[in-house]
Amino acid sequence: MVRHPDPPMTGRATVLRRLTRWCLAPLPAPPVTLRRGPLRPGVFRSRLRSTRLTGQLGVALGVAFAICFATGLLSHLIQHPPGWFWWPARPVGLYRFTQGLHVATGLASIPLLGAKLWSVYPRLFSWPPVRSIAHAAERASLGLLVAAALFLLVSGVLNISRWYAPMPFFFTAGHYWVAWLAVGGLLVHIGVHLPAVRAALVRPVGEPRQDGLNRRTLLGGVAAASGLVTLTTVGQTIRPLTGLAVLAPRHPDVGPQGLPVNRTAAGAGVRAAALDPAYRLRVTGEGRSVSLDLAALNRLPQYTAELPIACVEGWSATGTWTGVRLGDLVALVGADPRRSSAWVESLQVDGAYRACTVPPEHVGDPLTLVALRLGGEPLHLDHGYPARLIAPNRPGVLQTKWLSRITVAGTG
Ligand SMILES: Nc1nc2c(c(=O)[nH]1)N[C@H]1C(S)=C(S)[C@@H](COP(=O)(O)O)O[C@H]1N2
Ligand SMILES: [Mo]
């Protein structure tokens, strides 16, 4: 009898089955003489640790990370908008809220992550260290998740403290890409552990009370720590809590004209150009161009708006800004503000925040100003004298100071 070869599907299925079996096959146990120190049996005795505790901390941490990731991704999209993305100019303080939430949930995650790692770290020393290839892969992905989560929290804290020396990479790019690694690792982690966590979260009937009480005390302590971190930092964006913000690196009312300064004129190397009597703001449209000195800017209709500076670093503060509507300048060169975007450049020659694009929603918004005054006085040199951009619902990095040129482009 002639034997036919297996049809291709069956062949592939066999390979898959073999691969799965190979991945799950128990590996030979390492020699018992290696079982020393924390690898000895019964070293970790705390009765506080349980799947239930780990699960509850995991749920809290998962929620905090999800909010942190969503708000961080939003901030990234606003700063680097792909074609499909759209961000409105109203409500005025929406970005202030989402970015405040990003930094607050990140900070509140620190005690949660600490407690969660404490609750599971004995598993690092489980015996045998790897049971199978699949087990090794799961441990590796968990290692990646823990490393990514620690990286995000540490780099985030360094960023809001404006301490860049320990970060030999561009903060925003590193923070952004590692967030994707963390999300991938988190999804794998949730997929692997969901059944066990779900079972442990449904309290088994007749669970001894005293254990539950201890666990609750611990959870209460962790919640209190997270709450305390939030309470002592969130005042950098919520004005009535400013007095409590002892851990916040920035205070929203400390700085020239009662407002913090992110980068000074000296730091940006623009002092001379900003103070030069020959200063002009050049507005260029398709085929038309105007050049305005400070007196000419002051002669245009002036408007006042209460708008926050909402820094990506989590601090924010409201100012009373007065100046010319960006839409009026765009109209001066014959363009329709509601159908134009503007490329706004600073006197600053280099640096990541020397220029930005203002999309039509913001160009056409009556609150988007080329501000000449703050709190009724001419802008302080460090707040962008002679003229700066201030627009509703935008990250601080997009509120360009020391404007030199506005290039208008129609959007059809
Ligand atoms: N030209 C220029 N504009 C800039 C910056 C900068 O570095 N260069 N920093 C931005 C950032 S990150 C913030 S938060 C705001 C802060 O404005 P303020 O210093 O007036 O508070 O300015 C923005 N405008
Ligand atoms: Mo900022």
Side-chain angles (χ1 to χ4, degrees):
M1 203 177 115
V2 181
R3 276 199 60 190
H4 292 278
D6 285 339
M9 265 314 287
T10 321
R12 214 176 297 153
T14 312
V15 169
L16 209 65
R17 210 177 309 133
R18 278 211 195 124
L19 193 67
T20 313
R21 215 179 300 140
W22 179 74
C23 283
L24 293 172
L27 291 170
V32 189
T33 44
L34 290 179
R35 224 172 162 186
R36 301 205 185 139
L39 290 170
R40 280 172 296 139
V43 178
F44 301 98
R45 282 203 211 127
S46 171
R47 295 185 59 215
L48 260 177
R49 292 196 182 90
S50 66
T51 311
R52 194 170 160 83
L53 172 72
T54 303
Q56 286 172 326
L57 289 168
V59 169
L61 198 57
V63 169
F65 261 51
I67 297 174
C68 205
F69 179 72
T71 48
L73 182 61
L74 178 69
S75 182
H76 176 88
L77 290 171
I78 297 169
Q79 292 172 64
H80 310 278
W84 53 266
F85 184 78
W86 171 83
W87 181 245
R90 307 286 177 97
V92 166
L94 182 59
Y95 180 81
R96 175 187 214 175
F97 174 75
T98 64
Q99 192 62 12
L101 201 58
H102 177 73
V103 173
T105 48
L107 287 169
S109 296
I110 295 172
L112 284 173
L113 183 64
K116 167 112 169 137
L117 291 179
W118 172 82
S119 82
V120 292
Y121 89 92
R123 289 193 209 162
L124 207 55
F125 307 105
S126 65
W127 192 266
V130 282
R131 294 193 295 270
S132 63
I133 304 286
H135 182 223
E138 201 256 310
R139 291 200 82 166
S141 83
L142 187 60
L144 185 74
L145 171 59
V146 172
L150 288 173
F151 174 89
L152 290 172
L153 294 184
V154 170
S155 62
V157 167
L158 289 176
N159 178 246
I160 63 173
S161 325
R162 304 162 55 73
W163 186 21
Y164 295 100
M167 293 192 281
F169 50 88
F170 182 46
F171 165 77
T172 45
H175 200 69
Y176 174 72
W177 287 109
V178 172
W180 282 108
L181 282 185
V183 164
L186 192 59
L187 290 179
V188 171
H189 184 65
I190 292 173
V192 170
H193 293 284
L194 194 61
V197 168
R198 202 190 287 156
L201 291 184
V202 181
R203 178 190 284 274
V205 189
E207 188 195 333
R209 293 285 314 171
Q210 67 269 38
D211 266 356
L213 252 183
N214 285 340
R215 181 180 45 78
R216 277 195 211 139
T217 314
L218 181 86
L219 283 174
V222 174
S226 285
L228 199 66
V229 169
T230 308
L231 205 63
T232 51
T233 49
V234 82
Q236 62 185 334
T237 187
I238 299 178
R239 202 60 180 251
L241 296 178
T242 300
L244 296 176
V246 288
L247 287 184
R250 292 306 200 94
H251 281 247
D253 47 4
V254 175
Q257 298 178 314
L259 200 76
V261 165
N262 176 270
R263 174 166 287 244
T264 61
V270 298
R271 275 189 72 97
L275 294 170
D276 188 345
Y279 169 83
R280 298 283 183 282
L281 175 65
R282 219 153 4 114
V283 186
T284 309
E286 278 146 22
R288 223 195 292 177
S289 180
V290 292
S291 196
L292 302 150
D293 63 10
L294 197 50
L297 283 168
N298 272 303
R299 278 194 300 272
L300 290 170
Q302 304 289 305
Y303 298 90
T304 295
E306 289 268 321
L307 290 175
I309 297 268
C311 182
V312 293
E313 291 161 3
W315 65 268
S316 70
T318 302
T320 305
W321 309 91
T322 304
V324 181
R325 281 186 179 153
L326 178 60
D328 288 356
L329 293 175
V330 166
L332 269 188
V333 293
D336 177 356
R338 298 191 165 274
R339 290 164 160 271
S340 304
S341 68
W343 173 242
V344 171
E345 288 172 271
S346 172
L347 294 168
Q348 190 182 345
V349 179
D350 46 28
Y353 307 127
R354 65 163 298 275
C356 71
T357 299
V358 187
E361 301 79 58
H362 285 83
V363 174
D365 193 291
L367 292 183
T368 299
L369 302 180
V370 168
L372 309 171
R373 292 166 186 279
L374 173 55
E377 305 160 14
L379 285 175
H380 187 280
L381 190 56
D382 289 338
H383 283 308
Y385 177 90
R388 77 163 309 157
L389 180 71
I390 184 84
N393 197 25
R394 264 163 84 83
V397 290
L398 301 181
Q399 310 281 27
T400 310
K401 304 195 273 192
W402 314 292
L403 297 190
S404 68
R405 191 167 29 180
I406 298 171
T407 310
V408 181
T411 55

